[in-house]
Amino acid sequence: MRSASPNEAVPATTPAASLVFTTVLSHGPITRTEIARRTKLSSAAVTKAVRPLMEIGYLVEDVGEGARRAIGRPANPVRVDGSRALFVGIKVTGDAIIAVLADLCCRILTARTVPLSGRRPAAVLADIVAVLHDLLTEADAIGGRVRGVGIAVSGDVDRAEGVVRYSPFLEWRDIPLAEIAGTATGLSVTVDNDVRALTRAEHWFGAGVGLSDFALVTVGAGIGCGLVVHGRVVSGAHGVAGEIGHLPIDPQGPLCYCGNRGCVEAVAADPAILRDVRAATGLPVADLAEALELARGADPRVRAVYARAGEAIGRAIASVVNILGPERVIISGEGLAAYDLFAAGIRDAFTRSAFGIAEQCDLTTRPLPFEEWARGAAATAIQSFIGSITLRATT
Amino acid sequence: MRSASPNEAVPATTPAASLVFTTVLSHGPITRTEIARRTKLSSAAVTKAVRPLMEIGYLVEDVGEGARRAIGRPANPVRVDGSRALFVGIKVTGDAIIAVLADLCCRILTARTVPLSGRRPAAVLADIVAVLHDLLTEADAIGGRVRGVGIAVSGDVDRAEGVVRYSPFLEWRDIPLAEIAGTATGLSVTVDNDVRALTRAEHWFGAGVGLSDFALVTVGAGIGCGLVVHGRVVSGAHGVAGEIGHLPIDPQGPLCYCGNRGCVEAVAADPAILRDVRAATGLPVADLAEALELARGADPRVRAVYARAGEAIGRAIASVVNILGPERVIISGEGLAAYDLFAAGIRDAFTRSAFGIAEQCDLTTRPLPFEEWARGAAATAIQSFIGSITLRATT
């Protein structure tokens, strides 16, 4: 295990350095010239940001085999040295913890899935600590050092304060998770909303690479949305953003758990689909798998439920597109398993409700397993880490 | 009239220089230290951006009366020298042109309102050219030089291309207005969507100063919305953004001119209110003023129409807030004249539909006369100008 050099210890970096680092992370190996073009920074600013990141060893330069090419030339490609630091990303669902050990390039080295022993904070914390120790042992075996942990939880999460304000699935309120987990493990912990964490991973490595404005819509137990506007993930002034599950789309619609009527989630999330399939068939349908089986068996009553859910999702997507005009909407989540049943409804409602040229927005589906959500949590930890390292030469 | 120094002629500035200039415009006189704090740029970057803007004379330093204080100290406040350049801002409505002559500080020096001689592009262009000549004469009398013109038009406007793609009120499609007006006047012309231009003015000088995330909702002939996210006005990847007038809020709602059912505009814009007041009363209500009079006379049927419109607006605002989580929503537009009739509906629907803590978003009303919209067009011209001047020392 390496020991940290002293300059890696404390706060303060420039926004330019963070921007340059994530640009290299997404696009590397990449020349300084290309970094300047993509970030719209001046060549001088890029050179200035790259230098200390190279001195610390997080960026390395590919000088090539010729060996006659000198270090520091603008035409030499630069990349992140993944081996220089390790991170853990954790996604907490209502039933399980999915954890990954990732390197500084956010490549997944190993992954774990463990069932939750309970949903109360103390139980979840114990599970988190157990899986962390397991991954720290793994890190030791590799000879790397874990420099940060990211934890992604659904609901209203205040990243800056490290607090889970409200998580409906876990029934948590105002849990200072970053502090508790940090104290328990001695590691630097960042918490964030799970969809925002996944959106970050998509922005850096997935279908959002190179886009300055896109939306990621997740369909499943809830209907979520992560947004990138002007190249950055939107968090909302009060920590709430992307709540498309609670867009009011029908004054006559079913009652939602939030107290309002006709929310998107009250029509299109898993529990709503299950409720409507039971009501439509009169059958004691046990779970979503059974509902899906009935629909695949071409039961028109069940297919109509899915079609209606698809329409609600399509209207929600049109709302996002009319308001923000993103370049792309990525549709993901466990709900993709039933996408063939949703697809026509989504497409029809979107086309009908998108205003004018906004209809040209690219709608695309992408299966993203829970490991990717955990990777998003690791990306969040990397972002916090890079934001907090001291870059002596730039200050 | 001053002649331009050669370094003012051609393209390319740094984003940092533009950011510093608009920060001084909004907050000046302001010290370099405070600029750095607000822009999150390093002190060195601020000093570097300020210097050439001072050399060109757009920024000046208040050295104070003591005269012992030296130029260039970080503690000396810096401000924009308004007299260094003039701009014209034009707002085109369906009936009139509102034009202002503004200085580099975007202070309105004089304003004109002229009725449109027609809505066809040639007629509007002739009116624009006439009002421009009038204001250029005024500028000559002051001894200033007009360096740019901004034209704000409602609808789908592509600022980068200078094209009005679609303006429902003017019934224009694909009019290359910037080029036509530029050729006719010999001036540099920027066109933009009118609500976005007004949002820019509010961001620089109004209720959005210092906010990185806010929404401006305009109520009247249409229902519009300008958005600032991460400190910048949102334009949308395809030029469409802020179209809250076409959010689908009720599948059983009235048909909208866009072809969809239950759009916000189909319930809450002026024509919809007039239609519904006529239907509710059976009276041949001539115009909105008469409808308003009936409502003020406490006709419950008419008041119910306004209440329903208020509810639709409240649901639209809640949608924006649930998706973006802005710090503030500013409500403006000619519709404010009936705000007392809308208010309860807006507030109730917003509170009901806003998700969790998003409800804490600050809702505020602000009357913004058409001169302010024209000022927004002038602000857009200033932004284009500052973005295009060469700052020799920073490149």
Side-chain angles (χ1 to χ4, degrees), chain B residues 74-134:
Chain B
N76 293 349
V78 170
R79 62 180 170 79
V80 174
D81 181 356
S83 71
R84 284 288 278 141
L86 299 177
F87 298 85
V88 172
I90 294 174
K91 148 88 171 161
V92 183
T93 74
D95 318 305
I97 282 175
I98 299 91
V100 298
L101 181 67
D103 67 7
L104 185 57
C105 288
C106 211
R107 286 177 297 223
I108 297 178
L109 305 180
T110 184
R112 300 278 188 279
T113 300
V114 293
L116 282 187
S117 54
R119 288 188 184 177
R120 292 184 51 201
V124 173
L125 183 70
D127 295 338
I128 288 175
V129 169
V131 78
L132 257 174
H133 279 153
D134 182 11

Side-chain angles (χ1 to χ4, degrees), chain A residues 69-147:
Chain A
R69 291 159 66 188
I71 286 277
R73 285 198 185 167
N76 292 350
V78 170
R79 62 179 170 80
V80 174
D81 181 356
S83 71
R84 285 285 281 141
L86 299 178
F87 298 85
V88 172
I90 295 174
K91 149 88 171 160
V92 182
T93 74
D95 318 305
I97 282 175
I98 299 91
V100 298
L101 181 67
D103 69 7
L104 186 57
C105 289
C106 211
R107 285 177 297 225
I108 297 177
L109 305 179
T110 182
R112 300 279 188 278
T113 299
V114 293
L116 282 186
S117 54
R119 288 188 182 176
R120 293 184 50 200
V124 173
L125 183 70
D127 294 338
I128 287 175
V129 169
V131 79
L132 258 173
H133 278 153
D134 180 12
L135 290 176
L136 289 174
T137 308
E138 190 90 15
D140 266 345
I142 300 171
R145 180 171 164 199
V146 172
R147 305 304 302 264

Side-chain angles (χ1 to χ4, degrees), chain A residues 1-9 21 25 51-61 79-88 101-107 109 139 142-148 382 385-386 389-392:
Chain A
M1 197 185 282
R2 291 179 310 95
S3 69
S5 58
N7 63 333
E8 288 181 32
F21 183 83
L25 201 52
R51 193 181 305 123
L53 288 166
M54 285 189 62
E55 282 169 10
I56 303 174
Y58 297 151
L59 297 187
V60 291
E61 199 169 296
R79 62 179 170 80
V80 174
D81 181 356
S83 71
R84 285 285 281 141
L86 299 178
F87 298 85
V88 172
L101 181 67
D103 69 7
L104 186 57
C105 289
C106 211
R107 285 177 297 225
L109 305 179
I142 300 171
R145 180 171 164 199
V146 172
R147 305 304 302 264
I382 291 175
F385 175 67
I386 291 295
I389 53 175
T390 297
L391 300 176
R392 280 181 304 187

Side-chain angles (χ1 to χ4, degrees), chain A residues 42-358:
Chain A
S42 69
S43 306
V46 171
T47 302
K48 200 174 158 188
V50 165
R51 193 181 305 123
L53 288 166
M54 285 189 62
E55 282 169 10
I56 303 174
Y58 297 151
L59 297 187
V60 291
E61 199 169 296
D62 286 336
V63 187
E65 289 157 16
R68 256 177 305 208
R69 291 159 66 188
I71 286 277
R73 285 198 185 167
N76 292 350
V78 170
R79 62 179 170 80
V80 174
D81 181 356
S83 71
R84 285 285 281 141
L86 299 178
F87 298 85
V88 172
I90 295 174
K91 149 88 171 160
V92 182
T93 74
D95 318 305
I97 282 175
I98 299 91
V100 298
L101 181 67
D103 69 7
L104 186 57
C105 289
C106 211
R107 285 177 297 225
I108 297 177
L109 305 179
T110 182
R112 300 279 188 278
T113 299
V114 293
L116 282 186
S117 54
R119 288 188 182 176
R120 293 184 50 200
V124 173
L125 183 70
D127 294 338
I128 287 175
V129 169
V131 79
L132 258 173
H133 278 153
D134 180 12
L135 290 176
L136 289 174
T137 308
E138 190 90 15
D140 266 345
I142 300 171
R145 180 171 164 199
V146 172
R147 305 304 302 264
V149 177
I151 306 179
V153 179
S154 75
D156 177 358
V157 180
D158 186 331
R159 175 176 172 176
E161 297 293 323
V163 173
V164 179
R165 283 222 204 92
Y166 176 49
S167 181
F169 293 142
L170 294 168
E171 294 173 40
W172 286 8
R173 282 195 188 272
D174 298 317
I175 305 297
L177 184 61
E179 191 189 331
I180 298 173
T183 305
T185 61
L187 290 164
S188 170
V189 176
T190 304
V191 300
D192 204 353
N193 169 277
D194 58 348
V195 179
R196 284 206 281 275
L198 181 63
T199 303
R200 196 165 288 122
E202 278 298 281
H203 192 206
W204 291 4
F205 312 111
V209 168
L211 302 184
S212 70
D213 300 272
F214 74 91
L216 169 67
V217 171
T218 58
V219 178
I223 312 285
C225 178
L227 295 163
V228 167
V229 177
H230 296 148
R232 289 167 55 197
V233 174
V234 175
S235 293
H238 302 280
V240 169
E243 282 295 350
I244 64 166
H246 300 278
L247 290 178
I249 54 163
D250 185 357
Q252 265 76 53
L255 203 64
C256 181
Y257 71 84
C258 76
N260 200 12
R261 197 167 273 287
C263 291
V264 174
E265 279 199 6
V267 181
D270 292 348
I273 290 176
L274 197 54
R275 174 203 64 207
D276 289 352
V277 168
R278 284 173 184 151
T281 60
L283 297 171
V285 180
D287 55 22
L288 218 64
E290 205 177 317
L292 202 53
E293 208 173 304
L294 288 170
R296 296 251 195 275
D299 184 324
R301 299 165 303 178
V302 179
R303 294 183 76 89
V305 169
Y306 278 95
R308 196 160 61 239
E311 264 176 53
I313 296 165
R315 289 157 73 87
I317 293 174
S319 299
V320 170
V321 168
N322 287 351
I323 289 176
L324 286 170
E327 295 163 83
R328 177 175 294 162
V329 176
I330 306 160
I331 306 169
S332 192
E334 318 98 90
L336 279 197
Y339 194 74
D340 56 318
L341 300 165
F342 290 134
I346 291 181
R347 172 57 66 181
D348 288 356
F350 172 73
T351 307
R352 210 165 47 235
S353 299
F355 185 67
I357 202 171

Side-chain angles (χ1 to χ4, degrees), chain B residues 207-239:
Chain B
V209 168
L211 302 184
S212 71
D213 300 272
F214 73 92
L216 169 67
V217 171
T218 59
V219 178
I223 312 284
C225 179
L227 295 163
V228 167
V229 177
H230 296 147
R232 288 167 55 196
V233 175
V234 175
S235 294
H238 302 280

